[in-house]
């Protein structure tokens, strides 16, 4: 599944306690040749390790061993390695499995527990810059789920929508803006009220920034009859049709998305600057990690590709070179940044990812403290 499928409700479900063993398998992957040639071998080795761990664990019954291994086999058969991103996460128990391909790296790991390991999923969701796009005209309304990777059509939540009454030559009207009276008809107003109601349900369930794409008269009518358009992050006055493709729509949105991301980064820097003035600023992995464990972090800003392997010594972190780590070293954390992100979110804090090198003077990570 894709990162944008990680709704708050699904994450809560994945993190719930379940019968032992819940198996989590994570590993880094590669998007293209020649590096991706190693992925299949590494995955087979991890699956073998998972099987050995299940066999050796006295808490796992023979029936559970067979059931979880069978789910792993089904996951491998279902995996499309042509869609590989930066990491793979497979979750399996006796009843089923899930496959997640994420645009954020994760360490090689096999974990047996009474809940799934979700820190890599949480960190990937936090860094995905999720947003919604509604393309709308008098004859259609389509919802798109967006990340910093791609757009994909959202075929749930009652979308796409079409009005119950057909108008003459609707696609020509949508492209050219012809027959302006169509946007003053009661049928169209009623259709747009329905669109707004469906959209409100989506935003209540999964709040994200909203981008609207449509002819000016369509965007104006949507704002007039409903609520969602008034709080949209951006409106792009460009006609679309029911046949508009994801690449075409992404091209129309590029300038608006770039501007939105720049404004978002600037707002984060303003918050960090204000925190420095208010003596509520912290930076560096060790300091931010300590504050996060004490539930004192209101906001943490992390550079997009910051990862660090550390050794936990007492209440402090010591950066280490992954090539110098022995397999039996229990104090090593490969994914300390993702673990920190999950801790902050668990405690009600906010996590934002910023451009690489923008926090170079602060150890690649900084935070705003509650107290």
């Amino acid at each position: 599944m894709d990162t944008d499928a990680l709704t708050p409700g699904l994450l809560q479900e994945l993190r719930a306690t379940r019968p032992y063993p819940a198996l989590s398998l994570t590993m880094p992957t590669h998007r293209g040749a020649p590096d991706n040639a190693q992925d299949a071998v590494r995955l087979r080795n991890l699956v073998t390790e998972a099987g050995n761990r299940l066999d050796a664990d006295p808490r796992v019954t023979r029936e559970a061993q067979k059931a979880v291994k069978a789910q792993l086999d089904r996951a491998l058969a279902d995996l499309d390695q042509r869609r590989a991103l930066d990491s793979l996460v497979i979750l399996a128990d006796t009843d089923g499995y899930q496959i997640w391909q994420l645009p954020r790296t994760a360490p090689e790991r096999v974990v047996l527990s009474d809940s799934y390991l979700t820190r890599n999923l949480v960190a990937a969701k936090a860094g995905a810059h999720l947003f919604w796009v509604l393309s709308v005209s008098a004859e259609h309304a389509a919802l798109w789920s967006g990340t910093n990777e791609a757009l994909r059509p959202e075929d749930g939540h009652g979308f796409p929508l079409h009005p119950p009454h057909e108008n003459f030559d609707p696609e020509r009207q949508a492209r050219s803006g012809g027959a302006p009276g169509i946007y003053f008809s009661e049928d169209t107003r009623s259709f747009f009220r329905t669109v707004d109601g469906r959209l409100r349900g989506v935003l209540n369930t999964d709040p994200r920034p909203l981008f609207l794409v449509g002819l000016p008269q369509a965007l104006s009518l949507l704002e007039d009859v409903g609520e969602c358009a008034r709080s949209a992050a951006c409106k792009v006055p460009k006609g679309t049709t029911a046949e508009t493709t994801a690449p075409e729509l992404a091209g129309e949105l590029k300038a608006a998305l770039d501007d939105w991301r720049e404004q978002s980064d600037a707002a984060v820097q303003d918050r960090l600057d204000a925190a420095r003035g208010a003596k509520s600023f912290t930076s560096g992995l060790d300091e931010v990690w300590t504050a996060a464990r004490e539930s004192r972090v209101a906001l943490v800003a992390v550079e997009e590709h910051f990862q660090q392997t550390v050794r936990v010594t007492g209440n402090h972190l010591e950066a280490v070179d992954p090539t110098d780590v022995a397999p039996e070293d229990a104090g090593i954390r490969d994914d300390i940044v993702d673990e920190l992100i999950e801790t902050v979110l668990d405690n009600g804090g906010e996590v934002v990812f910023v451009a690489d090198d923008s926090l170079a003077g602060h150890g690649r990570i900084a935070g705003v403290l509650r107290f």
Side-chain angles (χ1 to χ4, degrees):
M1 284 188 272
D2 296 320
T3 311
D4 55 348
L6 281 167
T7 63
L10 179 54
L11 276 171
Q12 183 177 8
E13 177 186 332
L14 291 176
R15 298 169 76 178
T17 301
R18 60 189 66 233
Y20 190 91
L23 185 146
S24 305
L25 182 154
T26 71
M27 61 172 277
T29 54
H30 302 84
R31 298 181 183 225
D35 293 332
N36 61 358
Q38 63 185 281
D39 293 348
V41 176
R42 297 175 74 174
L43 179 57
R44 284 198 300 271
N45 291 340
L46 278 178
V47 170
T48 299
E49 178 186 342
N52 293 338
R53 294 271 299 277
L54 287 166
D55 292 341
D57 193 328
R59 292 172 292 178
V60 182
T61 65
R62 186 174 298 277
E63 291 76 14
Q65 290 173 9
K66 292 181 179 178
V68 176
K69 288 179 181 179
Q71 297 298 342
L72 267 181
D73 289 340
R74 294 187 183 103
L76 292 180
D78 194 32
L79 176 63
D80 184 357
Q81 292 182 310
R82 295 170 299 178
R83 299 184 65 248
L85 297 175
D86 299 316
S87 68
L88 170 68
V89 176
I90 297 178
L91 309 175
D93 60 14
T94 57
D95 297 323
Y97 66 90
Q98 291 190 20
I99 300 170
W100 297 89
Q101 292 174 304
L102 306 178
R104 181 174 174 83
T105 191
E108 282 194 11
R109 201 166 189 184
V110 174
V111 176
L112 298 179
S113 184
D114 58 359
S115 64
Y116 288 133
L117 179 70
T118 59
R119 66 181 56 148
N120 306 111
L121 300 179
V122 170
K125 177 179 172 60
H129 301 296
L130 301 176
F131 56 91
W132 294 114
V133 179
L134 180 77
S135 60
V136 63
S137 75
E139 293 298 330
H140 88 286
L143 186 66
W144 304 76
S145 180
T147 70
N148 45 10
E149 294 288 319
L151 284 176
R152 69 172 179 83
E154 180 65 40
D155 294 328
H157 308 288
F159 287 96
L161 275 172
H162 299 275
H165 305 290
E166 291 188 5
N167 297 292
F168 68 93
D169 200 6
E171 294 301 340
R172 183 193 64 79
Q173 294 173 3
R175 291 189 188 95
S176 66
I182 193 173
Y183 288 101
F184 294 93
S185 75
E186 185 53 41
D187 284 345
T188 303
R189 293 178 69 86
S190 176
F191 172 55
F192 273 42
R193 290 190 194 100
T194 300
V195 171
D196 182 77
R198 297 280 176 85
L199 190 56
R200 271 187 282 125
V202 172
L203 295 174
N204 286 337
T205 302
D206 190 1
R208 305 182 191 177
L210 171 66
F211 291 78
L212 300 175
V213 184
L215 291 171
Q217 54 265 47
L219 301 181
S220 177
L221 178 58
L222 189 63
E223 182 170 346
D224 183 46
V225 303
E227 302 174 7
C228 297
R230 301 169 195 170
S231 59
C234 186
K235 300 173 186 175
V236 179
K238 182 70 176 181
T240 64
T241 73
E243 284 75 40
T244 297
T245 65
E248 291 169 345
L249 190 59
E252 300 295 346
L253 282 165
K254 185 179 186 307
L257 286 169
D258 289 345
D259 184 60
W260 168 61
R261 286 166 180 149
E262 287 180 8
Q263 291 184 30
S264 299
D265 284 354
V268 171
Q269 291 294 341
D270 288 345
R271 291 180 66 179
L272 294 176
D273 290 342
R276 277 193 289 271
K279 309 298 183 186
S280 58
F281 176 82
T282 187
S283 65
L285 186 56
D286 191 42
E287 294 297 328
V288 177
W289 179 74
T290 298
R293 295 174 67 210
E294 297 169 352
S295 304
R296 294 193 293 123
V297 177
L299 166 75
V300 64
V302 189
E303 289 188 3
E304 289 277 4
H305 297 99
F306 178 49
Q307 293 286 308
Q308 181 65 64
T309 301
V310 301
R311 177 178 287 105
V312 180
T313 306
N315 293 321
H316 295 283
L317 305 179
E318 175 191 353
V320 297
D321 186 335
T323 61
D324 295 334
V325 173
E328 65 273 9
D329 193 336
I332 294 297
R333 307 280 183 86
D334 290 313
D335 55 352
I336 193 65
V337 177
D338 287 2
E339 182 180 332
L340 186 153
I341 288 167
E342 186 178 46
T343 299
V344 170
L345 293 172
D346 280 347
N347 293 327
E350 181 182 356
V351 175
V352 294
F353 284 78
V354 296
D356 290 340
D357 296 328
S358 61
L359 296 173
H362 302 291
R364 313 292 179 184
I365 185 168
V368 178
L369 301 178
R370 295 189 176 103
F371 55 89

